[in-house]
Amino acid sequence: MAAAASSDATPLLKDELDIVIPTIRNLDFLEMWRPFFEPYHLIIVQDGDPTRTIKVPEGFDYELYNRNDINRILGPRSSCISFKDSACRCFGYMVSKKKYIFTIDDDCFVAKDPSGKDINALQQHIKNLLSPSTPFFFNTLYDPYREGADFVRGYPFSLREGVPTAVSHGLWLNIPDYDAPTQLVKPRERNARYVDAVLTIPKGTLFPMCGMNLAFDRDLIGPAMYFGLMGDGQPIGRYDDMWAGWCVKVICDHLGLGVKTGLPYIWHSKASNPFVNLKKEYKGIFWQEEIIPFFQSAVLTKESDTVQKCYIELSKQVKEKLGKVDPYFDKLADAMITWIEAWDELNPAGGSAKLANGKA
């Protein structure tokens, strides 16, 4: 089955990429991914009860962290890591020492392309990350660096070199990533449309980032991949990946980095309860009408020439402008700074802290 689809003798970026998985259950889903994931190192972040034993299929190289580990490693700064929410995954980004990260949810399975072949989602993400992005001028053939495509007539030659790709955002077949109101209106809707396209999201354009099928260059954008304060003890949930996406996009636009979306697809196996989701999203549905204009108008100064500096400057703007919406954003802004402090403590060599405008 899936084993036949793995044709590469040497997996791409085998020693340069970690796979981060947040979970509250046994990871049986890895069996389907074995042909694609087994060569790579896994970082598993266990949410919920830390005394529960999570079973991982044999043969995988992994490290597993629960809440006790997070508290031990980060000490007082562990307060910035969400509890009882998949946002806990960003702890895995922090402790990784690899250049690239791929993160996936444990209810996501291997999808098939229109020919019936298993899709190696990780391989496609890597291809996206290793090719440039074109955020400054839209190419009507989408990604010009893909085989069979190129820049179309009228595309400025001065922009054809592109910029480094910081983020590869994948999509889903079967269960779409809908909010609770849309789930309630369309309870039986399934996504069966496979679009064979990858495109760069233009500069100045935000997008709703989904964390269930996502890869990024940790050296380029890692410190901005903070999934916020969500879940237990917080007034909001299910906005963790979107918050990170809005912050990341503003910073990528400022530093001249690219974000791609489209391929690869994964098979999202089950829909979460829309009534539970509505309770988590309720405030966010109203708040996003203030949050999105905030990010659309956010401007960073020239002095912010690293991801950390950008993120700290953005956190101050969050406190100043979104703190008026709800006291939660004051707390979130403080957590953003705590996150950067914890990141720098665990990554003292600098990594992306030494990168300005995406260049070493």
Side-chain angles (χ1 to χ4, degrees), residues 321-339:
K321 298 182 179 178
L322 292 181
K324 301 172 185 176
V325 175
D326 192 273
Y328 163 75
F329 291 100
D330 288 325
K331 187 177 180 182
L332 176 55
D334 291 338
M336 292 169 72
I337 293 177
T338 302
W339 160 264

Side-chain angles (χ1 to χ4, degrees), residues 5 57 69 102 115 156 178 200 208 238 255 270 288 352:
D69 299 314
F102 169 57
S115 72
Y178 285 160
T200 298
R238 283 175 56 84
L255 295 179
K270 66 178 188 292
Q288 70 185 17
S352 55

Side-chain angles (χ1 to χ4, degrees), residues 138-179:
F138 189 80
N139 191 55
T140 52
L141 278 180
Y142 304 115
D143 192 337
Y145 305 103
R146 287 188 70 197
E147 185 177 351
D150 209 328
F151 293 96
V152 298
R153 181 171 55 89
Y155 200 102
F157 284 88
S158 60
L159 295 177
R160 294 190 182 194
E161 183 180 346
V163 302
T165 300
V167 180
S168 172
H169 178 255
L171 301 175
W172 350 265
L173 294 173
N174 195 35
I175 305 296
D177 186 30
Y178 285 160
D179 53 35

